[in-house]
Amino acid sequence: MFFIKRTNTLKLTITALLTAIAIMIPMVMPVRVVIPPMSFTLASHVAIFFAMFLSPKIAVLVSLGSAAGFLLAGLPIVITLRALSHVVFALIGAFYLQNRKEDVLSSPLKSQIFSFWIGLVHALAEVFVVSLFFLGILSGGDYDQGFFYVVFLLVGVGTLVHSMVDFFIAQIIWKSLGKRMNQIARKVTA
């Protein structure tokens, strides 16, 4: 006898909506600063943070969608691969938040500590990707500035700050949706 696994329609719908947002943001967002290999697209991580609040699987899928959005936006390969590296921080952050989300999001101090910590993981993953280009291991990077400036300041510090700003935006939106979002989160993770 065949057993058909019942699909969680709500989980599928939320994942699809967040993925669509993650794809569209790099394609249409008017606020973008590009200083190769760095690009700052306001709110480009918000859908990923929302996905992290829900589950590790959703976080990975939305991160992959975000990378697809950067690819479809026609940005340089180094920027697209930096977006692909978001899978790392999204997965780690989502696993951490699985049983601690309410605690982290309800305390301003804990949310800032988490934001800094996950921003650091985010920055290290992007620094690794850009280092591969800077050092010539992957082709496509031709940088006139020094390694410290390009990799550590532009990418490392820039990503940390950008990540923390986007986490703050995601947290404000999540909290503004109130109890309804927490009810949806419980259904999605059940």
Side-chain angles (χ1 to χ4, degrees):
M1 176 168 239
F2 292 99
F3 292 96
I4 299 173
K5 186 176 179 182
R6 193 171 156 207
T7 303
N8 184 332
T9 307
L10 179 62
K11 187 183 288 188
L12 185 62
T13 304
I14 296 289
T15 304
L17 287 171
L18 289 174
T19 302
I21 291 167
I23 291 170
M24 291 304 297
I25 285 175
M27 296 175 70
V28 301
M29 193 58 139
V31 180
R32 179 184 303 150
V33 176
V34 179
I35 308 168
M38 195 64 207
S39 74
F40 300 100
T41 305
L42 185 62
S44 61
H45 307 105
V46 170
I48 296 170
F49 283 121
F50 250 75
M52 285 171 48
F53 298 156
L54 297 170
S55 83
K57 287 180 186 176
I58 295 173
V60 168
L61 292 171
V62 173
S63 296
L64 292 172
S66 176
F70 278 90
L71 180 66
L72 292 170
L75 291 164
I77 192 67
V78 65
I79 294 173
T80 301
L81 289 177
R82 280 184 35 243
L84 184 60
S85 78
H86 294 166
V87 171
V88 174
F89 88 84
L91 188 60
I92 292 169
F95 273 121
Y96 181 82
L97 289 172
Q98 259 185 332
N99 299 316
R100 299 174 186 93
K101 180 180 64 198
E102 300 301 323
D103 188 38
V104 168
L105 295 179
S106 64
S107 165
L109 178 63
K110 288 180 181 178
S111 69
Q112 284 303 306
I113 291 170
F114 175 78
S115 178
F116 178 80
W117 173 80
I118 204 64
L120 197 57
V121 172
H122 182 175
L124 288 173
E126 291 198 16
V127 161
F128 175 75
V129 168
V130 174
S131 293
L132 295 176
F133 284 90
F134 193 93
L135 298 172
I137 296 168
L138 294 176
S139 63
D142 185 24
Y143 308 115
D144 296 330
Q145 301 92 356
F147 185 81
F148 180 78
Y149 173 74
V150 170
V151 176
F152 288 103
L153 291 181
L154 275 182
V155 177
V157 175
T159 298
L160 177 62
V161 171
H162 186 200
S163 183
M164 291 181 74
V165 168
D166 282 357
F167 179 83
F168 183 70
I169 293 169
Q171 185 179 12
I172 287 173
I173 295 169
W174 183 273
K175 285 182 175 183
S176 72
L177 295 173
K179 291 181 183 179
R180 183 66 184 138
M181 204 60 215
N182 287 324
Q183 290 170 343
I184 291 170
R186 278 193 292 280
K187 288 180 183 178
V188 167
T189 57

